[in-house]
Amino acid sequence: FDTPNLARLALPSAKRFAKIAPASPHAQHMPAHIFVQLGMWAQASTSNKNGWTTSVEWVERKNLAKSKRGYHNLAWLHYTTLQQGLIKDAEAIFAIQQKDMQEGIQSQSNLSAGKYYPRMLAAAIIETAQWQKAGQLTSPDGWEPKSYASAATHFVRGFAAAMQGNIAEARKHLAELKTIGEKGFRKNFFKRPENLQVWQLEIQVAMKLQQREYDAAIQLAKQATVIEEKLPPPSGPPRILKPTYELLGEVYLQAGIPIQAQEQFAISLGRHRNRLRSMVGAARAARASGDKSTAKETYERLLSQLKNADPGFPELAEAKEYLNDF
């Protein structure tokens, strides 16, 4: 039931499930599949934190290899923490992953720690819109990613470069993505060539945005939504890394077309409930279109979601500033 349309039916079970098997890392984590779908970030974080902690304790108790730790839980914990504006906590979580990953590379004993590196790298940059982090968060020495992981990393770095106006750098990563796509990779439910197509389009969207070619950016972003719409519904943190409807909404907003932006953010929030970047976009679009009632309601929801956020989190200050006028 971990799809946008069905998740609410599983909520009672999700609340009970972890209690049935408290010593099982997997049982601790699984309720998060429902909590994430419903945008219940605090509960999702608790599930993933418990799943990670239980896995670490289990590995130590059984004297198992570190590779048995629940890095899936850790990656989800990183994402759900960012959705609450807890940037410092998220950085500490990412640091755990990077430390284990580096140790694994050096000893060849824990290569599984690197499995979620591209997704955590993407979240650290995309969920905060801190594009400069792409240059600060370098890959661990000796990491040799497989083709799909390499593609995800090239997307993150290319998209971030484009958002900073570094078109030449963005084109380099775009070319790498094209090459990986042409060579192919072993595809499955999670690794799909369609993702690479979306990533190439999204880098081009970001490039057009920086060049203020809004019509071209809108058309490219629309192409990306058509591709994503044909993929399976999101079952957790977005595997597409940057949801396409969210990006299209941001393009419309930057192009000065806030009403259409509102429509796209609404679609994005239907697929990724209470997703922070889509909520921020929805609030800004309502504000820009003069829809004060919707803007107020959305900023209030945003403020509630960010109630424990780092004090310097920009969107927290933005919400407070807008609501102070009422």
Side-chain angles (χ1 to χ4, degrees):
F1 281 9
D2 55 344
T3 66
N5 293 331
L6 297 176
R8 62 185 180 83
L9 301 175
L11 184 58
S13 297
K15 289 180 176 178
R16 296 173 56 200
F17 185 56
K19 298 176 183 178
I20 295 173
S24 166
H26 193 62
Q28 292 295 313
H29 160 74
M30 285 308 294
H33 279 250
I34 302 304
F35 297 146
V36 165
Q37 288 289 349
L38 299 174
M40 299 170 65
W41 303 121
Q43 293 88 337
S45 289
T46 297
S47 289
N48 288 305
K49 185 175 182 179
N50 289 345
W52 167 251
T53 302
T54 304
S55 77
V56 171
E57 292 172 348
W58 173 64
V59 164
E60 291 176 353
R61 187 170 64 251
K62 297 290 186 179
N63 196 28
L64 301 173
K66 271 190 175 181
S67 59
K68 298 294 185 180
R69 286 181 169 187
Y71 293 103
H72 180 74
N73 301 345
L74 195 68
W76 279 48
L77 176 60
H78 182 244
Y79 177 80
T80 57
T81 299
L82 286 166
Q83 297 307 307
Q84 300 169 78
L86 299 166
I87 307 303
K88 290 181 179 178
D89 288 350
E91 288 174 349
I93 293 165
F94 195 18
I96 293 171
Q97 190 277 342
Q98 289 178 295
K99 178 177 179 292
D100 282 13
M101 182 179 175
Q102 187 63 71
E103 289 178 355
I105 292 169
Q106 292 169 348
S107 66
Q108 297 292 302
S109 64
N110 188 16
L111 295 177
S112 64
K115 181 178 179 180
Y116 295 94
Y117 173 77
R119 292 176 64 180
M120 295 177 79
L121 175 69
I125 297 166
I126 291 172
E127 306 308 326
T128 63
Q130 293 180 328
W131 311 116
Q132 74 282 0
K133 279 190 173 183
Q136 300 166 2
L137 297 172
T138 57
S139 303
D141 292 338
W143 185 49
E144 298 179 358
K146 295 181 180 179
S147 58
Y148 188 82
S150 179
T153 306
H154 279 299
F155 162 67
V156 176
R157 299 199 183 283
F159 188 76
M163 292 299 286
Q164 294 177 91
N166 190 341
I167 304 302
E169 182 70 13
R171 283 181 176 145
K172 289 180 184 179
H173 292 288
L174 191 59
E176 291 287 350
L177 271 173
K178 184 178 180 181
T179 299
I180 292 170
E182 290 172 348
K183 289 182 177 179
F185 53 89
R186 184 183 295 178
K187 61 183 180 180
N188 56 31
F189 181 83
F190 303 110
K191 301 176 183 178
R192 291 173 172 263
E194 293 92 338
N195 288 7
L196 273 66
Q197 295 170 23
V198 169
W199 292 340
Q200 290 177 69
L201 286 166
E202 290 189 325
I203 291 176
Q204 293 176 70
V205 169
M207 290 165 62
K208 294 298 183 184
L209 272 182
Q210 295 306 310
Q211 296 164 337
R212 290 182 166 77
E213 297 181 23
Y214 298 123
D215 288 343
I218 288 169
Q219 292 307 313
L220 288 165
K222 283 183 175 180
Q223 290 178 43
T225 63
V226 170
I227 296 172
E228 185 179 3
E229 193 66 49
K230 295 177 182 178
L231 295 172
S235 62
R239 291 186 176 274
I240 210 75
L241 302 178
K242 177 63 176 178
T244 59
Y245 287 105
E246 179 178 278
L247 180 59
L248 180 55
E250 290 170 352
V251 173
Y252 274 128
L253 188 56
Q254 195 164 324
I257 315 174
I259 293 178
Q260 283 90 333
Q262 279 184 276
E263 294 173 356
Q264 302 307 315
F265 288 126
I267 296 172
S268 182
L269 287 167
R271 294 169 62 84
H272 305 278
R273 288 182 176 82
N274 295 339
R275 179 176 156 80
L276 181 60
R277 300 318 311 174
S278 290
M279 285 185 65
V280 169
R284 290 172 179 171
R287 184 177 186 176
S289 66
D291 186 351
K292 293 183 178 180
S293 175
T294 301
K296 179 175 181 291
E297 178 186 347
T298 309
Y299 273 121
E300 286 174 342
R301 288 173 54 204
L302 194 58
L303 191 62
S304 176
Q305 185 163 318
L306 297 174
K307 62 184 177 183
N308 297 317
D310 293 0
F313 193 64
E315 287 76 9
L316 176 63
E318 178 183 333
K320 287 181 177 179
E321 181 182 354
Y322 183 83
L323 293 171
N324 283 339
D325 293 338
F326 285 89

